[in-house]
Amino acid sequence: SYELTQPLSVSVALGQTARITCGGNHIGGKNVHWYQQRPGQAPVLVIYRDSNRPSGIPERFSGSNSGNTATLTISRAQGGDEAEYYCHVWDTYTEIFGPGTRVTVL
Amino acid sequence: QVQLVQSGAEVKKPGASVRVSCKASGYTFTNYGIGWVRQAPGQGLEWMGWINGIANYAQKLQGRVTMTTDTSTSTAYMDLRSLRSDDTAVYYCARQERVSAAHDYWGQGTLVTVSS
């Protein structure tokens, strides 16, 4: 079965750039979506189809996908960006979520 | 505006069944699928299945879960049977884009507690 890997945690200084990776076999050939989940809240879609931002999501959030790694980039990190981030793919009638990455803004 | 409103928290005994509802509004219900995702306490997101005219379930839940929709009321339902303690989780419904399977709007979540 298809598996996704993410770093357990990422720390970023206020105003700097955080990069969260999502690894999977030939993930570059799949649509990757990213969700932000703050404690006690439902997930929020921040990037869909690798690099598209839903309306209302700041331009500071961007995504890329190639080879075996997809990346969510948070530029000019703010305190409100502290959350768990999950990648998500669809593979042969099955959906898979990554294990999640905890982002801490220092 | 798009909204998904789920039913309230449930407490069930092991072996019982639970039904969680998800009422959609603000869009044409039949133009999108509904996905179900659960999250055990302190854990990550687990895909359970989706319904988009037909239903497709995660292999580990096959035989215990049924997902249905009532298009007359724009409501989706998730039934889970033979509950076990490890089914204790927050259950989410989410609107699902048909082509990419992205979950673009989520319900508020329903806590299901399984305890004797």
Side-chain angles (χ1 to χ4, degrees):
Chain A
S1 62
Y2 196 78
E3 292 187 2
L4 298 173
T5 59
Q6 295 184 238
L8 197 60
S9 63
V10 167
S11 296
V12 58
L14 189 68
Q16 297 304 302
T17 298
R19 292 181 179 83
I20 305 155
T21 58
C22 177
N25 191 33
H26 301 298
I27 197 173
K30 304 181 186 301
N31 284 317
V32 179
H33 319 299
W34 290 92
Y35 304 89
Q36 175 194 69
Q37 187 180 32
R38 297 189 176 102
Q41 297 186 18
V44 172
L45 180 69
V46 294
I47 292 289
Y48 66 98
R49 299 190 211 178
D50 299 342
S51 59
N52 296 277
R53 274 178 294 103
S55 61
I57 300 301
E59 290 182 9
R60 302 184 298 102
F61 288 83
S62 62
S64 63
N65 185 18
S66 179
N68 292 321
T69 305
T71 303
L72 172 68
T73 301
I74 308 173
S75 304
R76 302 181 300 283
Q78 302 177 358
D81 299 333
E82 283 206 337
E84 196 83 16
Y85 290 83
Y86 296 92
C87 56
H88 166 225
V89 302
W90 182 93
D91 178 72
T92 318
Y93 298 102
T94 297
E95 295 180 37
I96 305 102
F97 286 94
T101 296
R102 178 70 189 171
V103 170
T104 301
V105 180
L106 305 172
Chain B
Q1 72 283 20
V2 175
Q3 277 193 309
L4 298 172
V5 179
Q6 299 183 221
S7 49
E10 303 264 12
V11 179
K12 297 291 183 181
K13 293 193 182 303
S17 298
V18 69
R19 165 171 277 201
V20 178
S21 66
C22 170
K23 184 168 177 56
S25 61
Y27 70 98
T28 301
F29 185 67
T30 51
N31 285 353
Y32 293 82
I34 292 286
W36 290 90
V37 176
R38 70 180 180 178
Q39 187 170 38
Q43 302 301 308
L45 303 176
E46 179 187 4
W47 176 69
M48 298 180 66
W50 48 254
I51 182 162
N52 185 7
I54 59 171
N56 183 42
Y57 307 130
Q59 191 170 12
K60 70 175 286 189
L61 296 174
Q62 289 275 359
R64 290 207 299 137
V65 68
T66 302
M67 297 173 187
T68 57
T69 58
D70 181 345
T71 57
S72 68
T73 59
S74 299
T75 302
Y77 299 93
M78 188 283 298
D79 294 296
L80 190 60
R81 301 175 290 279
S82 302
L83 290 168
R84 309 186 292 244
S85 58
D86 62 356
D87 291 317
T88 294
V90 175
Y91 289 74
Y92 293 101
C93 65
R95 190 178 82 164
Q96 188 159 29
E97 196 185 68
R98 285 191 171 185
V99 176
S100 72
H103 300 288
D104 58 357
Y105 289 90
W106 293 65
Q108 82 275 20
T110 296
L111 176 62
V112 175
T113 303
V114 183
S115 173
S116 54

